Amino acid sequence: MKKIIFLFVLITYSCGEKQIKPEFEVAPFTQKIPSQESWNSKVLFTDNGVLKAILYSNHLQIYEDQKITLLEGVKIDFYNSNGKKTTTLTSLRGKVDDITKNMFAIDSVVAVNDSGVVLKTSELMWRNKDQKILTDKFVTISSPKEIIKGYGFVSDQKLNDYVIKNITYISNVTVKENK
């Protein structure tokens, strides 16, 4: 019994000697603080009153002094001149250059158009001036007819007219008929 009491006192004493260091995050205080911040945001992009795109973001941070907007949880719906949604792009993170209005989708980027064409890559840029989607990263594009993989990609935002610069794989998709 004395051994158990001694062991209990030893454990209690040794636990009491430890100093508990409070957890303290340094990173948020060393970084700049955004001038504006919002959650579950919806931003409309228009040109002369015509809807071009709607951006949805789980978390949006605007840094006015750096002229950038950082995004987490990104979804963008692109619209044609008739107001019809043509393409949806999603990514885990993003960044908008507030001067050029170019948007960078980062991490797990997927773009799907209304014809069933699917683009997957790690990063891409939507260039505002000509509304093109481009990247120099590895891409996989699949359609009902084919699958193409390669490095470097340029397309219109509808994913109808695209070019893969360095193709590494092409496969035709065969449709299985249900009998």
Side-chain angles (χ1 to χ4, degrees):
M1 184 70 175
K2 288 183 180 181
K3 287 183 181 180
I4 293 175
I5 293 173
F6 176 74
L7 186 59
F8 178 76
V9 171
L10 182 62
I11 290 172
T12 305
Y13 180 75
S14 64
C15 288
E17 286 295 314
K18 288 185 180 178
Q19 295 182 0
I20 299 172
K21 188 175 182 179
E23 292 184 25
F24 186 76
E25 288 188 42
V26 176
F29 296 103
T30 58
Q31 297 174 352
K32 294 191 173 203
I33 297 173
S35 54
Q36 296 179 35
E37 192 171 20
S38 66
W39 287 263
N40 301 319
S41 303
K42 178 180 174 181
V43 180
L44 280 65
F45 293 87
T46 60
D47 185 18
N48 293 323
V50 177
L51 180 64
K52 295 293 183 184
I54 299 176
L55 165 73
Y56 302 90
S57 178
N58 296 340
H59 186 200
L60 184 146
Q61 297 174 303
I62 298 173
Y63 295 87
E64 287 182 3
D65 58 334
Q66 298 173 332
K67 307 291 185 207
I68 62 167
T69 300
L70 300 181
L71 311 163
E72 292 179 27
V74 179
K75 177 184 170 193
I76 302 174
D77 291 329
F78 294 103
Y79 293 84
N80 66 14
S81 59
N82 297 325
K84 181 184 173 202
K85 185 170 74 173
T86 59
T87 310
T88 299
L89 183 146
T90 59
S91 69
L92 295 180
R93 297 179 292 125
K95 181 175 88 173
V96 177
D97 182 323
D98 292 335
I99 296 171
T100 63
K101 302 296 183 197
N102 293 336
M103 201 284 280
F104 301 86
I106 304 162
D107 200 352
S108 304
V109 181
V110 178
V112 180
N113 77 1
D114 55 356
S115 300
V117 175
V118 179
L119 168 69
K120 294 181 180 179
T121 187
S122 60
E123 291 180 22
L124 65 76
M125 177 176 83
W126 175 77
R127 192 169 50 203
N128 181 44
K129 72 177 181 183
D130 56 4
Q131 299 178 355
K132 297 264 185 187
I133 294 173
L134 47 123
T135 184
D136 60 350
K137 304 294 183 188
F138 182 79
V139 297
T140 299
I141 190 155
S142 57
S143 71
K145 296 180 181 177
E146 60 189 6
I147 298 171
I148 304 173
K149 297 179 180 185
Y151 292 88
F153 179 83
V154 178
S155 174
D156 63 328
Q157 69 182 22
K158 299 174 194 169
L159 296 177
N160 289 333
D161 186 21
Y162 56 83
V163 174
I164 297 176
K165 294 181 179 176
N166 185 9
I167 295 174
T168 58
Y169 176 83
I170 297 177
S171 173
N172 291 325
V173 175
T174 56
V175 179
K176 295 180 180 178
E177 294 182 24
N178 293 333
K179 294 183 179 179

